């Protein structure tokens, strides 16, 4: 990913130095396990660990370049690395990669990198959830208008809006934990996965020390349905980010202005219009979510490979694994900061809630009229005609509010008192059971 949308901790996971350190650890663990199976002398395994470990610890960009030069000749990345590693280890290097195939190293390494990346992504989700919880509790009883089809519906609370997004991210966190478990598998089974030249105990040893599970059937590579499920999970999380970002973008519109991104001192919104305060963060998050979702399809395409293996998936994963995790990591942390600093305007929410002359309370009035003895169908007709009379005259000098139309309607006035109408039109009526929902969401 471009540096603009990258955080150093996540980028480091996908850099050559980290990849080569993991490759070495796999090779060293395998050699140590082969001591127990009688395939490698103990002294040789110790030499691999000591001399190779020292070379890896001191590895520099010059060494990375040297491996690249070797690969330019061999046209094989794992062989290039093993060739470089053989020099500091010396004669005992003949016991490195014994009976193994390249995919044993590559696929197991990818599993380690994806688990490392997932741990950072989980931290990002935790940051988003913490920000959402804080702001949801802060505005638990802040009335605002709910919208369906983009049109005013009934009152809700701004805190409840945020609590819904919190619940979604809680589900996404559980999905990501499941995806981490599914992707964290190790394959050290040799050519076409038969263990013909390897004792299965070697695989188990490597898996245990790397915090991975053993892949039941690796066929030389780890099946890509695991990876497809992983990247689809990232795509679902990205969609959750975009849903919240889209809500903020709408609320920041000039005609709405119920909430807006924090505008930093010295920040500029437009090169031509000095007054502009644009929702640039939420728009950026919308775009980044599209990128992450875009990587789900190639991951699904990777599931279908030829026979026991091919490498049509390899070039895809070299792009999508770093890009998807780096992008999502950045997006999660940007979202957390945006929500934490979100500027919220309760007074504007109240203005908008009542901007249609009170018709948003039609549902409560409908219930009142139905309870007075009129059929629901007739009650609906009576309420709707008064609501439409209010709606169609909004902004006119002689416009009446919904309450006034109701009290002037003989089919209403004789059945419902003004006090009952006022009670029904109190927005706080819709917040009476918010505590129940919050207990469900936050378990407190």
């Amino acid at each position: 990913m471009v540096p603009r949308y990258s955080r150093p901790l996540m980028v480091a996971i996908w850099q050559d130095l980290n990849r080569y350190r993991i490759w070495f650890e796999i090779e060293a663990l395998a050699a140590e396990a082969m001591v127990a199976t009688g395939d490698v002398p103990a002294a040789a395994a110790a030499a691999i660990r000591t001399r190779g470990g020292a070379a890896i610890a001191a590895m520099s960009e010059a060494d990375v370049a040297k491996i690249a030069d070797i690969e330019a000749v061999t046209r094989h990345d794992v062989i290039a690395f093993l060739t470089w590693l053989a020099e500091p280890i010396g004669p005992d290097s003949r016991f490195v990669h014994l009976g193994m195939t390249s995919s044993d190293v590559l696929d197991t390494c990818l599993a380690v990198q994806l688990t490392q990346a997932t741990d950072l992504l989980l931290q990002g989700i935790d940051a988003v959830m913490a920000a959402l919880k804080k702001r949801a509790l802060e505005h638990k009883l802040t009335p605002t208008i709910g919208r369906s089809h983009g049109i005013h519906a009934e009152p809700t609370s701004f805190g409840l809006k945020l609590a819904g997004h919190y619940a979604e991210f809680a589900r996404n966190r559980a999905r990501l934990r499941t995806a981490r478990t599914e992707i964290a598998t190790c394959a050290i089974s040799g050519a076409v996965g038969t263990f013909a030249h390897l004792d299965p105990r070697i695989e188990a040893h490597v898996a245990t020390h790397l915090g991975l599970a053993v892949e039941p059937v690796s066929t030389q590579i780890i099946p890509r349905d695991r990876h497809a499920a992983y990247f689809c999970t990232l795509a679902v999380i990205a969609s959750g980010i975009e849903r919240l970002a889209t809500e903020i973008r709408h609320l920041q519109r000039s005609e709405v202005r119920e909430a807006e991104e924090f505008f930093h001192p010295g920040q500029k919104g437009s090169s031509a219009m000095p007054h502009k305060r644009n929702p640039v963060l939420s728009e950026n998050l919308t775009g980044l979510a599209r990128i992450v979702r875009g990587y789900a399809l190639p991951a699904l395409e990777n599931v279908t490979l030829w026979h026991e293996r091919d490498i049509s998936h390899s070039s895809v994963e070299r792009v999508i694994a770093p890009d998807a995790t780096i992008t999502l990591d950045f997006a999660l942390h940007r979202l957390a900061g945006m929500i934490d600093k979100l500027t919220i305007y309760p007074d504007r929410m109240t203005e908008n809630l009542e901007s249609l002359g009170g018709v948003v309370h039609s549902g409560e009035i409908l219930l009142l009229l139905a309870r007075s003895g009129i059929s629901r169908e007739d009650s609906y007709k009576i309420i709707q005609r008064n609501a439409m009379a209010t709606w169609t005259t909004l902004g006119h000098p002689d416009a009446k509010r919904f309450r006034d139309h109701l009290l002037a309607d003989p089919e209403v006035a004789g059945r419902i008192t003004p006090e009952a109408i006022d009670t029904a039109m109190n927005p706080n009526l819709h917040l009476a059971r918010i505590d129940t929902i919050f207990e469900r969401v936050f378990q407190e």
Side-chain angles (χ1 to χ4, degrees):
M1 272 305 294
V2 295
R4 187 182 185 93
Y5 305 126
S6 305
R7 297 175 69 247
L9 283 175
M10 184 64 85
V11 171
I13 290 172
W14 301 105
Q15 290 177 333
D16 291 333
L17 285 173
N18 187 54
R19 179 162 53 93
Y20 290 144
R21 289 182 185 122
I22 299 170
W23 285 11
F24 170 74
E25 189 63 23
I26 294 167
E27 297 286 6
L29 286 170
E32 289 162 352
M34 290 181 196
V35 173
T37 62
D39 296 304
V40 173
I48 292 169
R49 171 65 69 181
T50 303
R51 296 172 190 162
I56 289 292
M59 196 176 202
S60 66
E61 291 300 331
D63 293 300
V64 172
K66 186 175 181 180
I67 295 171
D69 290 340
I70 298 171
E71 185 181 351
V73 176
T74 63
R75 304 298 178 95
H76 196 292
D77 53 356
V78 175
I79 292 176
F81 172 74
L82 294 174
T83 301
W84 172 86
L85 187 62
E87 184 177 343
I89 293 177
D92 287 324
S93 64
R94 68 185 186 276
F95 294 108
V96 176
H97 203 69
L98 198 65
M100 294 168 61
T101 189
S102 299
S103 292
D104 292 334
V105 178
L106 295 172
D107 277 11
T108 301
C109 174
L110 180 58
V112 173
Q113 288 176 296
L114 287 174
T115 54
Q116 291 174 343
T118 304
D119 289 341
L120 289 182
L121 293 175
L122 287 166
Q123 291 176 22
I125 290 180
D126 287 343
V128 170
M129 292 175 66
L132 284 170
K133 181 177 181 179
K134 172 188 167 186
R135 304 312 300 273
L137 293 173
E138 179 185 348
H139 289 279
K140 180 170 72 170
L141 299 178
T142 299
T144 191
I145 189 63
R147 297 173 173 91
S148 56
H149 306 277
I151 306 300
H152 286 199
E154 288 193 352
T156 181
S157 95
F158 188 70
L160 185 57
K161 278 179 177 277
L162 298 180
H165 290 283
Y166 177 97
E168 180 176 358
F169 276 100
R171 294 190 295 274
N172 282 334
R173 192 184 195 285
R175 292 179 182 118
L176 189 56
R177 290 291 307 176
T178 299
R180 186 192 188 282
T181 300
E182 188 167 8
I183 206 68
T185 60
C186 169
I188 309 290
S189 56
V192 301
T194 63
F195 294 100
H197 310 293
L198 294 163
D199 190 307
R201 288 177 293 172
I202 298 165
E203 182 182 62
H205 178 84
V206 174
T208 298
H209 284 77
L210 293 179
L212 305 174
V214 168
E215 179 61 49
V217 181
S218 58
T219 73
Q220 189 165 331
I221 61 167
I222 292 174
R224 259 45 195 180
D225 62 291
R226 294 182 180 275
H227 303 75
Y230 181 85
F231 287 102
C232 284
T233 298
L234 300 193
V236 172
I237 296 170
S239 293
I241 292 174
E242 184 175 7
R243 188 172 81 90
L244 179 49
T246 299
E247 178 72 15
I248 301 305
R249 290 172 66 187
H250 170 73
L251 296 179
Q252 188 162 337
R253 288 170 54 219
S254 302
E255 296 83 358
V256 180
R257 211 160 47 82
E258 294 179 359
E260 68 175 353
E261 299 170 9
F262 179 76
F263 199 77
H264 293 264
Q267 183 175 342
K268 305 293 187 291
S270 166
S271 63
M273 297 168 283
H275 73 280
K276 294 296 292 296
R277 294 162 69 104
N278 301 327
V280 293
L281 299 181
S282 49
E283 289 175 341
N284 171 256
L285 290 170
T286 298
L288 295 178
R290 294 170 184 168
I291 293 173
V292 177
R293 277 201 304 276
Y295 290 135
L297 182 56
L300 290 166
E301 298 287 348
N302 274 355
V303 174
T304 306
L305 301 177
W306 284 20
H307 308 301
E308 278 59 53
R309 73 159 296 191
D310 64 52
I311 63 164
S312 59
H313 64 288
S314 176
S315 56
V316 174
E317 289 169 356
R318 288 175 192 267
V319 174
I320 70 173
D323 278 14
T325 53
I326 289 171
T327 304
L328 188 59
D329 174 67
F330 178 88
L332 286 167
H333 283 272
R334 168 155 284 184
L335 179 62
M338 186 181 79
I339 296 301
D340 186 60
K341 293 183 177 181
L342 190 69
T343 304
I344 299 166
Y345 300 110
D347 290 344
R348 179 65 178 176
M349 291 178 183
T350 299
E351 290 177 23
N352 287 342
L353 194 154
E354 296 298 342
S355 64
L356 297 185
V359 297
V360 297
H361 305 292
S362 66
E364 287 295 327
I365 305 299
L366 171 64
L367 294 176
L368 277 179
L369 202 58
R371 288 167 182 155
S372 72
I374 302 178
S375 71
R376 190 185 187 284
E377 291 74 15
D378 289 341
S379 297
Y380 191 101
K381 292 176 183 178
I382 294 168
I383 300 304
Q384 187 181 42
R385 72 169 178 247
N386 284 285
M388 293 304 103
T390 307
W391 185 291
T392 55
T393 59
L394 286 171
H396 293 190
D398 57 347
K400 295 181 180 179
R401 294 185 62 80
F402 184 44
R403 180 184 187 276
D404 298 326
H405 281 291
L406 290 171
L407 292 176
D409 189 318
E411 292 190 83
V412 176
R415 292 177 174 274
I416 307 174
T417 66
E419 293 77 16
I421 291 176
D422 290 339
T423 298
M425 297 180 75
N426 184 345
N428 291 325
L429 186 69
H430 297 265
L431 310 183
R433 293 192 171 92
I434 294 293
D435 281 341
T436 299
I437 303 173
F438 269 57
E439 288 169 7
R440 290 175 178 177
V441 174
F442 300 114
Q443 283 85 50
E444 60 181 53

